[in-house]
Amino acid sequence: MSNVQKDDSVRTLAWMAAALFLAYLSVAMAMPAVAVHVSRTLGMGNVASGLAVGIAFLSTILSRGWAGRLADERGGKVAMFRGLGLYAAASLLCLLSAWQALGHGLASYGVLLAGRLLLGLGESYALVGLLAWAMARLGPARSGLVMAFVGTGMYGAFAVGGPLGLWLLQQLGFGGLMAATVLLPLASGAMLWRTAPATAAAGRRQPFSQVLGLIWKPGMVVGLQGVGFAALGAFFPLYFLANGWHGAGWGLSAFGLGFVAVRLVAGALPDRLGGIPVALVSLAVETVGQALLWLAPNPQMAMLGALLTGMGCSMVFPSMGLEVVRRVPAHLRGTAIGGFAAFQDLAYGATGPVAGWVADHFGHAQVFFIGTLAALLAIWLTWRLRAEARAAASASTGTQPR
């Protein structure tokens, strides 16, 4: 590939990531606002708040296989646009939940949960679709770079969307916030409408269960990494409110700032150094960040913990994703990425209600103790992957592993 072609490919990738950023604002703006809305406006507890945040990931988990198969068979662009349509429909349903005729009770909460489930379905198709689309355009040798750019768009949205969502909640109410999120995926679709699709690779399809058998270990690592982010996203505002601290909306901004900064500086490292060493360093940083959140004596230390958590989480998904791509043939990459992302979704979905129960019984700080333990377990599992990779390399060359 010539330098001109590489430049054009990277520019297209940056444009696609910018469109995802815009679409993902509809997710990011709602995430902390939903927890506050359920807790403060609807008068429900931490478990109900955590469920409202985390239930979106249930439909995401269940639909990752469908999204991956659609991307493999019909191309990533088709899957991406299906996701954008579902984003808009989900925001409309969440807007309906704020309708005064429903009151502020179980009826409103039930409609909100339905909207959150639909949002999770849209997230499944949009993310898998864009990843498959971009990988098909740039090729497997640049898979790590694709995941780095796409993740920058996603978590950049969280950096901006957290405080923006809480500000709109305060200024316009929950209904006004949801009305704003309806327009974002439509604008994203307009950006991508003229971007050319990529031809789907030919090959024999395999059952989703067989693909999972190839990728579950890197998937477990990225799932354990996701516990810390899910705890921060769902409970950082409530953690600050419980302690009487100000500036709760900036927690996701600190996370997003650290996340995006590392992606911009180190986005190509997995392609150059390999996924496993980059993941080990990243998980160590996340562990420190979660421990600081757990033990924070003041809001400044908590913000530092959020920043380090973002820096640590930044390169785990592309690092382990590169390991996943290397384990499957080209025509199964969409399915593999869908299954791989489902592990992270499972962590996001389970962390909300579990962390809510922990917060109710032991206090909000202990939520981040769970995140610390999860990050330590991820380090251990990644170290095992490193040992397995070295043993396999030694077996292929006939030498003894060190």
Side-chain angles (χ1 to χ4, degrees):
M1 182 181 289
S2 69
N3 290 333
V4 173
Q5 288 175 317
K6 285 182 179 180
D7 289 343
D8 287 342
S9 296
V10 172
R11 278 195 292 266
T12 300
L13 177 59
W15 182 255
M16 296 168 81
L20 183 68
F21 165 81
L22 202 59
Y24 225 82
L25 278 176
S26 62
V27 179
M29 287 165 60
M31 193 173 183
V34 163
V36 174
H37 172 69
V38 171
S39 176
R40 300 294 168 137
T41 305
L42 301 185
M44 297 181 175
N46 287 313
V47 173
S49 298
L51 178 62
V53 173
I55 199 171
F57 300 107
L58 174 62
S59 57
T60 303
I61 294 164
L62 296 177
S63 61
R64 284 297 194 195
W66 305 337
R69 181 169 291 273
L70 179 66
D72 284 334
E73 294 179 352
R74 298 183 58 190
K77 184 172 183 178
V78 173
M80 172 66 175
F81 272 79
R82 181 173 295 185
L84 293 177
L86 289 168
Y87 272 163
S91 293
L92 283 171
L93 198 55
C94 291
L95 174 60
L96 179 62
S97 74
W99 188 29
Q100 290 187 353
L102 292 175
H104 292 306
L106 290 178
S108 177
Y109 185 67
V111 175
L112 175 64
L113 291 183
R116 296 290 294 168
L117 281 169
L118 193 61
L119 184 73
L121 185 62
E123 196 276 337
S124 184
Y125 282 97
L127 178 60
V128 172
L130 190 67
L131 281 169
W133 187 6
M135 284 183 187
R137 289 182 63 95
L138 273 76
R142 307 178 85 186
S143 295
L145 184 65
V146 168
M147 293 188 195
F149 266 78
V150 170
T152 299
M154 285 175 55
Y155 290 98
F158 279 113
V160 176
L164 180 58
L166 290 174
W167 181 80
L168 287 174
L169 178 67
Q170 187 177 43
Q171 300 298 318
L172 304 177
F174 190 70
L177 169 62
M178 289 299 103
T181 61
V182 172
L183 302 176
L184 293 167
L186 302 180
S188 176
M191 287 180 64
L192 294 174
W193 186 258
R194 293 182 179 274
T195 304
T199 304
R204 186 177 67 86
R205 306 298 168 188
Q206 294 182 14
F208 189 53
S209 59
Q210 290 185 14
V211 177
L212 283 179
L214 299 172
I215 65 167
W216 72 268
K217 290 180 180 178
M220 284 292 295
V221 172
V222 84
L224 289 165
Q225 164 267 315
V227 171
F229 166 66
L232 190 151
F235 288 98
F236 193 89
L238 299 177
Y239 179 38
F240 265 51
L241 291 171
N243 284 292
W245 295 340
H246 298 292
W250 295 104
L252 280 177
S253 292
F255 174 93
L257 177 63
F259 188 101
V260 172
V262 171
R263 280 283 173 98
L264 292 175
V265 173
L269 284 183
D271 290 329
R272 295 176 182 174
L273 305 179
I276 290 175
V278 175
L280 282 170
V281 174
S282 299
L283 289 166
V285 175
E286 183 191 2
T287 302
V288 174
Q290 287 289 294
L292 285 176
L293 282 165
W294 167 37
L295 301 170
N298 53 56
Q300 292 79 18
M301 192 64 70
M303 288 293 180
L304 178 60
L307 176 69
L308 289 175
T309 297
M311 294 176 68
C313 288
S314 182
M315 296 306 300
V316 179
F317 188 93
S319 296
M320 290 293 100
L322 182 60
E323 296 300 310
V324 166
V325 169
R326 289 173 174 173
R327 292 172 182 231
V328 298
H331 66 280
L332 293 175
R333 286 194 186 118
T335 303
I337 288 298
F340 171 64
F343 285 91
Q344 186 167 261
D345 301 330
L346 180 61
Y348 290 171
T351 298
V354 171
W357 181 86
V358 170
D360 280 342
H361 289 80
F362 303 104
H364 290 85
Q366 303 309 314
V367 168
F368 303 108
F369 173 66
I370 302 299
T372 304
L373 292 181
L376 287 171
L377 184 56
I379 291 174
W380 174 81
L381 186 54
T382 307
W383 196 265
R384 292 294 302 271
L385 283 172
R386 178 175 177 269
E388 290 175 10
R390 287 189 169 185
S394 298
S396 65
T397 59
T399 58
Q400 293 296 320
R402 293 181 181 181

